[in-house]
C-alpha cells in the first residue's frame, strides 16, 4: 500500500475499453475510455459490501476474526498482484545489521519533526499537529522509537515522479519527516493536513486523506508500516484499501481523533493518534511474513 498505488492500473482491468462513460459520471468528468480503470464505484461498493457480509457470516459460523487486511481483497484490484505468492525466506538479521542504517538521537534533528519549515516559505494548507504514544500491548511506552512519516500535500499530490495527478506541487512542502519517541513513548510532529487524491483502481476512485507511518524497532528488521486517517472522512466507505480490513474495530483504530488540547492558538489544529504494537488492540500494520 504505497503512494505509487495511484498509478497502478491493474492487469485485471478490461483489455477492451468501454464504449461509454458510466451513467453515474458527471458530464464534465474525464472520458473513461482514456482510463482502463473504468469500473464504477457502485460496482466496487457492492463487492466491498459482499465481502464484509461473507466475513460476518463466517464469524457466525465460527471462523476466526481478521484484524488485518485481506491480501487477496478483490475490490483493491492491484492487491491481487501484490501479495506474496511464493514462500518467504528469512534473512539473517545479524548479517543485515552489518550494513543497515542505525538511528540514534544524534542522527535525528529536532526540526525534522516540523514538515512546515523545511523550505524557504510557508506551505499551503491547514497546519496541524499530530501527537500520540507508541506503546506495547500492556500499555508500556516504547522509548526512542524512530517514527517516520510521509504524505501528500494539501492538494493531494506527492513529491514523487510517478505522481502525475494534475494537482499543484507545493514548492514549500516535501511531505516527509521523522522523530524519536521520548521516555514516555510520545511522538509529535507538525505538518499540513493532506488532501484526498484520485487513483486508478476504478472510475472516479479517491483515497481518503491519510499519513503514512513507519516505525523501526531496535533492529532494521523490525520495521512496520501503517496509515493514519482523519475523523469523519466521507471516503471511508468507498475506499477498498481502508475497507480491506474486515473488522470495523480494527479500521477505527486507524482513525485519529481531534484533540483540542493538542490544537495551538491561532496556529494549528491538533490530532491524537496512539500506536499499539501488540496485543488484542494493536494498530494494524502491513504484514511482513503472514497472510493476516
Amino acid at each position: 500500500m504505497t503512494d505509487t498505488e495511484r498509478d497502478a492500473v491493474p492487469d485485471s482491468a478490461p483489455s477492451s475499453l468501454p464504449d461509454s462513460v458510466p451513467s453515474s459520471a458527471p458530464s464534465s468528468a474525464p472520458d473513461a475510455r482514456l482510463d482502463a480503470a473504468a469500473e464504477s464505484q457502485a460496482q466496487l461498493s457492492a463487492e466491498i459490501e459482499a465481502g464484509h457480509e461473507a466475513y460476518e457470516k463466517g464469524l457466525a459460523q465460527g471462523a476466526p476474526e481478521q484484524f488485518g487486511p485481506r491480501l487477496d481483497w478483490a475490490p483493491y484490484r492491484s492487491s491481487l498482484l501484490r501479495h506474496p505468492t511464493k514462500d518467504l525466506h528469512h534473512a539473517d538479521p545479524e548479517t543485515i545489521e552489518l550494513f543497515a542504517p542505525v538511528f540514534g538521537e544524534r542522527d535525528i534533528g529536532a526540526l525534522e519533526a516540523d514538515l512546515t519549515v523545511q523550505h524557504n516559505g510557508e506551505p499551503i494548507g491547514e497546519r496541524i499537529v499530530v501527537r500520540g504514544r507508541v506503546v506495547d500491548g500492556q500499555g508500556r511506552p516504547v522509548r526512542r522509537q524512530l517514527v517516520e512519516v510521509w504524505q501528500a500535500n494539501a492538494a493531494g499530490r506527492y513529491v514523487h515522479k510517478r505522481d502525475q495527478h494534475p494537482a499543484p506541487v507545493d514548492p514549500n512542502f516535501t511531505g516527509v519527516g521523522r522523530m524519536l519517541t521520548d521516555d514516555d513513548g510520545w511522538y509529535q510532529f507538525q505538518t499540513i493536513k493532506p488532501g484526498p487524491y484520485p487513483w486508478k483502481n476504478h472510475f472516479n476512485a479517491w483515497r481518503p486523506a491519510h499519513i503514512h507511518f513507519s516505525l523501526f524497532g531496535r533492529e532494521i528488521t523490525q520495521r512496520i508500516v501503517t496509515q493514519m486517517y482523519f475523523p469523519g472522512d466521507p471516503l471511508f466507505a468507498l475506499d477498498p484499501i481502508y475497507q480491506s480490513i474486515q473488522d470495523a474495530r480494527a479500521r477505527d483504530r486507524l482513525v485519529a481523533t481531534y484533540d483540542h488540547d493538542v490544537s495551538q492558538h491561532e496556529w494549528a489544529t491538533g490530532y491524537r493518534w496512539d500506536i499499539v504494537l501488540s496485543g488484542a488492540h494493536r494498530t494494524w500494520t502491513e504484514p511482513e511474513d503472514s497472510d493476516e
Side-chain angles (χ1 to χ4, degrees):
M1 298 182 184
T2 65
D3 299 324
T4 56
E5 64 207 9
R6 76 170 52 179
D7 294 310
V9 179
D11 292 341
S12 58
S15 56
S16 59
L17 300 178
D19 295 326
S20 62
V21 177
S23 58
S24 60
S27 58
S28 59
D31 190 339
R33 291 172 296 182
L34 301 179
D35 189 341
E39 296 167 291
S40 69
Q41 180 66 57
Q43 180 177 347
L44 267 292
S45 295
E47 293 183 23
I48 291 171
E49 183 178 357
H52 289 335
E53 287 180 354
Y55 172 69
E56 294 297 332
K57 183 177 180 180
L59 285 181
Q61 296 175 347
E65 296 178 309
Q66 299 178 19
F67 298 107
R70 291 272 299 276
L71 298 185
D72 58 349
W73 178 241
Y76 178 14
R77 296 293 191 247
S78 61
S79 71
L80 303 176
L81 307 174
R82 291 173 181 233
H83 69 77
T85 58
K86 298 180 180 179
D87 293 337
L88 300 178
H89 297 277
H90 290 284
D92 179 4
E94 293 185 0
T95 300
I96 291 178
E97 296 302 324
L98 294 177
F99 58 82
V102 177
F103 300 101
E105 293 183 64
R106 291 180 299 178
D107 303 302
I108 310 297
L111 294 181
E112 293 185 72
D114 189 344
L115 282 64
T116 69
V117 298
Q118 297 172 347
H119 300 278
N120 294 327
E122 288 281 346
I124 301 298
E126 176 188 347
R127 199 180 292 106
I128 64 173
V129 173
V130 180
R131 178 173 170 79
R133 293 183 77 209
V134 180
V135 298
D136 65 15
Q138 285 71 49
R140 297 173 297 199
V142 179
R143 302 181 175 89
R144 307 307 173 199
Q145 171 75 68
L146 176 66
V147 179
E148 297 177 304
V149 294
W150 65 97
Q151 63 167 94
N153 66 21
R157 183 159 180 177
Y158 289 94
V159 178
H160 192 286
K161 63 181 180 181
R162 291 187 62 185
D163 190 344
Q164 298 301 311
H165 171 38
V169 173
D170 189 337
N172 294 316
F173 188 76
T174 305
V176 295
R178 61 180 183 173
M179 67 229 74
L180 294 173
T181 57
D182 64 16
D183 287 341
D184 292 319
W186 287 99
Y187 73 86
Q188 177 171 311
F189 63 96
Q190 181 167 287
T191 185
I192 297 296
K193 188 175 182 180
Y197 58 76
W199 61 307
K200 295 182 178 180
N201 187 70
H202 55 282
F203 185 78
N204 204 19
W206 287 80
R207 290 233 58 216
H210 59 277
I211 298 176
H212 297 264
F213 278 68
S214 166
L215 290 83
F216 279 98
R218 301 182 66 179
E219 299 174 345
I220 195 73
T221 55
Q222 295 177 332
R223 184 192 189 202
I224 63 172
V225 177
T226 187
Q227 299 180 15
M228 185 203 88
Y229 295 86
F230 293 87
D233 197 314
L235 294 172
F236 284 157
L238 307 179
D239 182 42
I241 292 180
Y242 181 74
Q243 295 294 335
S244 69
I245 301 171
Q246 302 297 297
D247 189 276
R249 295 165 297 177
R251 291 197 298 270
D252 290 344
R253 286 196 285 270
L254 295 182
V255 181
T257 57
Y258 172 74
D259 189 335
H260 202 63
D261 290 334
V262 178
S263 294
Q264 298 179 2
H265 180 64
E266 294 190 346
W267 186 250
T269 53
Y271 292 89
R272 169 78 183 267
W273 192 56
D274 295 336
I275 301 172
V276 182
L277 297 182
S278 60
H281 300 290
R282 71 180 178 89
T283 304
W284 168 79
T285 59
E286 297 182 9
E288 289 184 285
D289 56 359
S290 74
D291 291 331
E292 183 180 2

